[in-house]
Amino acid sequence: MTPATAGTTLTLTAIAASAATPVVDPDVFWHVAAGEWMLKYHRIPKADPFSWTAPGRKWIAHEWLTEIIFGALHRLGGWPALVLYAVVVITASWAIVARTCRRLGASNAWTNVVTGVAALSCLHTWGARPQMLSLLFGAILADLLVQAWLGRPRALIWCAPIMLVWCNMHGGYMFGISMLLLFVGGLVGEVVLRRLWTTRRENTSTVNASLLMWSVGSLIATVAVSLANPNGVEGFLYPFSYLGDNASTRYIEEWFSPTFSRLQWWPFFALVAVGAMVAWTQRRTMPVYAVVGMAIYAALGVQSVRNITQFSFFAAPFLAAALTQASVSARSQRPVAPGKSAFATVLPMGALIGSVAIAAIGIVAFTPQANADAQATEFPAAAATYLAAHPTTNLFNQYDWGGYLIWRLDQPVGIDGRPDMYGDTFVDRYVATWNAQPGWENHVADAKVKSVLGRPNAPLVRKLRAQTTLWKVAYEDRLAVLLVRH
């Protein structure tokens, strides 16, 4: 094993092990339940089938294809099958990013370093989630754009087929369209800059009629095939519903902005800083679409941590290539001692041992018991078992438990991880009621709530426990309290 191969193996193994975690994302459960519902009824839901608070309300199941796959995987292999999905998709995505780095001339060392940091910057989004497919398809599309930029415009022929699948698996496909739009705009920008500032812009690619034709054609084709979804134009426009101020951006942490006070966001801020430096020092040679794309996606990442992934996989290849060029220039100015480095001898063995150790740690997540134990610490497993034997009606539940309860129980839930389906007004009122803000009693009465399941310290739970003449504790453990109206 060469040092280059050893470094890549160690990097990808670390990524795979980091992705191998038990399934505890709150939304995975209702995704699996939706997939099993579609497998049972052989149709895509158009209305809500899971809640008693919004029964029959219009629901755009934009991730229907992924949900069917999730349902099938769970049937075949339980939660370990979903863990395997996450490991394969995430590792393959960053392997593609690393390959794109090498296409642009990045050294193996800088490829591994930048890929590792970029992966670390968006570690918070990883898991058995539909959006991991946007990471995979986005990395593939970014690689196709680099291939086109380097003189293979026919590589773009794959954009439309990828988009046809992507638009039915996750709403992140809109980022794919945005990359193609940036690419076309960047090519036009290249032509303009080379004519206006001939001495300040170096020709690093062949921007010709063929490249422009393939790029524009691919953009038009991807937009056209994106309409091939069960909801047509409405489904195509769905991703825009997350723009601006809405229930998701107000209450879901993943839509909040990153801050310097939390170390987990530092890799992202480091990449942005390096990106700004690289864009300035490489301004004569870096593709216009790369500079503009990094700026836009960095701004989106600063706005919401959910968008950090897009910046990371898009920027990584250009940053790795620029750092390689800078290091080569620095080495050329100082003498290099002859002979084989001891580091080159030790690294392969160390990387192999490290890879095996990391893989051994990650494999634990593939056991059913590990998933059951992890879920029991995050979700009301025992309370759900009680509810399965003693069903209630009009259950008002903790928000992040809704998906789990959909999967575990036959009875409808009060709310789950689909704020877009419930609507901003509903979610705002739910949050106010759950926090026992003024008027909460009226909402509980108006909604005809007959049972409540939440954490012992939830404000609403504490208020209802005090009303002993109206509510009684039907079940309680350290994680959950079930209250039932007398």
Side-chain angles (χ1 to χ4, degrees):
M1 182 183 289
T2 65
T5 304
T8 301
T9 301
L10 185 59
T11 300
L12 294 179
T13 302
I15 289 174
S18 300
T21 57
V23 177
V24 292
D25 183 84
D27 290 341
V28 174
F29 302 97
W30 68 259
H31 283 306
V32 170
E36 292 178 340
W37 188 95
M38 285 182 267
L39 290 171
K40 179 180 179 180
Y41 294 105
H42 306 289
R43 58 189 175 90
I44 300 170
K46 297 290 185 178
D48 171 41
F50 297 130
S51 78
W52 63 269
T53 50
R57 181 173 295 176
K58 187 174 184 179
W59 176 32
I60 299 177
H62 65 288
E63 297 161 327
W64 67 274
L65 185 54
T66 306
E67 287 161 352
I68 289 176
I69 293 173
F70 278 18
L73 285 174
H74 188 265
R75 283 187 179 183
L76 292 172
W79 297 118
L82 272 296
V83 175
L84 180 61
Y85 150 83
V87 170
V88 171
V89 171
I90 293 170
T91 306
S93 301
W94 291 107
I96 292 168
V97 172
R99 183 69 186 91
T100 309
C101 293
R102 299 291 291 135
R103 286 190 197 281
L104 286 170
S107 66
N108 283 299
W110 278 116
T111 292
N112 294 328
V113 169
V114 175
T115 299
V117 175
L120 184 62
S121 73
C122 55
L123 183 65
H124 61 283
T125 65
W126 292 7
R129 313 174 67 186
Q131 71 188 74
M132 295 302 94
L133 292 166
S134 282
L135 168 62
L136 176 62
F137 292 134
I140 293 173
L141 193 60
D143 184 67
L144 293 176
L145 294 180
V146 166
Q147 290 186 53
W149 173 257
L150 295 177
R152 293 186 56 210
R154 290 181 180 273
L156 298 177
I157 197 172
W158 292 105
C159 292
I162 289 171
M163 190 60 63
L164 180 61
V165 178
W166 191 356
C167 72
N168 287 291
M169 301 194 85
H170 187 257
Y173 73 88
M174 196 56 71
F175 275 122
I177 293 177
S178 73
M179 283 193 289
L180 272 166
L181 186 61
L182 282 169
F183 191 71
V184 172
L187 293 180
V188 175
E190 291 287 346
V191 174
V192 172
L193 286 176
R194 292 175 186 182
R195 288 186 178 181
L196 294 180
W197 291 285
T198 307
T199 60
R200 298 185 181 182
R201 188 71 184 165
E202 295 180 11
N203 292 327
T204 56
S205 75
T206 305
V207 181
N208 51 34
S210 176
L211 180 56
L212 284 169
M213 179 189 70
W214 276 98
S215 302
V216 173
S218 297
L219 175 60
I220 295 173
T222 53
V223 172
V225 300
S226 296
L227 295 170
N229 68 81
N231 298 287
V233 174
E234 195 171 11
F236 173 79
L237 296 175
Y238 172 82
F240 293 103
S241 66
Y242 286 95
L243 297 178
D245 182 31
N246 54 68
S248 294
T249 58
R250 284 197 293 271
Y251 304 120
I252 300 177
E253 186 177 6
E254 195 176 39
W255 290 97
F256 295 172
S257 298
T259 61
F260 284 105
S261 61
R262 297 180 63 175
L263 289 176
Q264 70 181 112
W265 311 132
W266 284 22
F268 166 65
F269 289 125
L271 287 177
V272 171
V274 173
M277 178 187 68
V278 165
W280 174 252
T281 58
Q282 303 285 327
R283 61 189 180 278
R284 295 184 60 184
T285 57
M286 182 170 285
V288 172
Y289 90 90
V291 175
V292 177
M294 285 195 295
I296 292 176
Y297 297 141
L300 290 174
V302 169
Q303 181 187 51
S304 168
V305 298
R306 186 183 176 97
N307 297 325
I308 289 176
T309 297
Q310 177 68 27
F311 170 78
S312 298
F313 75 71
F314 180 87
F318 300 102
L319 301 187
L323 291 171
T324 297
Q325 183 176 344
S327 62
V328 168
S329 299
R331 282 199 304 269
S332 65
Q333 298 176 12
R334 64 174 184 267
V336 179
K340 188 175 182 179
S341 171
F343 181 71
T345 304
V346 175
L347 179 60
M349 183 59 67
L352 181 61
I353 295 173
S355 298
V356 172
I358 292 172
I361 295 172
I363 202 168
V364 175
F366 288 97
T367 63
Q369 190 60 48
N371 282 271
D373 292 343
Q375 290 167 11
T377 63
E378 298 286 337
F379 305 102
T385 300
Y386 177 87
L387 277 167
H390 307 85
T392 63
T393 57
N394 293 18
L395 177 66
F396 201 66
N397 56 275
Q398 194 95 24
Y399 172 83
D400 53 345
W401 290 353
Y404 180 82
L405 295 173
I406 287 174
W407 172 66
R408 282 289 308 271
L409 306 175
D410 289 331
Q411 69 182 74
V413 300
I415 194 171
D416 57 82
R418 297 173 294 162
D420 54 305
M421 190 280 294
Y422 288 97
D424 290 354
T425 301
F426 178 95
V427 176
D428 287 339
R429 194 172 185 189
Y430 163 84
V431 172
T433 302
W434 200 257
N435 290 328
Q437 295 175 2
W440 68 268
E441 301 98 328
N442 295 332
H443 185 203
V444 170
D446 294 344
K448 296 181 173 58
V449 175
K450 296 181 180 180
S451 55
V452 174
L453 179 66
R455 294 184 177 90
N457 62 349
L460 178 63
V461 172
R462 293 202 305 267
K463 290 283 187 180
L464 295 180
R465 291 190 73 157
Q467 298 182 348
T468 55
T469 59
L470 297 176
W471 296 85
K472 68 175 181 179
V473 175
Y475 175 86
E476 182 175 8
D477 59 30
R478 64 175 184 79
L479 185 63
V481 175
L482 174 65
L483 292 150
V484 178
R485 185 184 290 272
H486 281 301

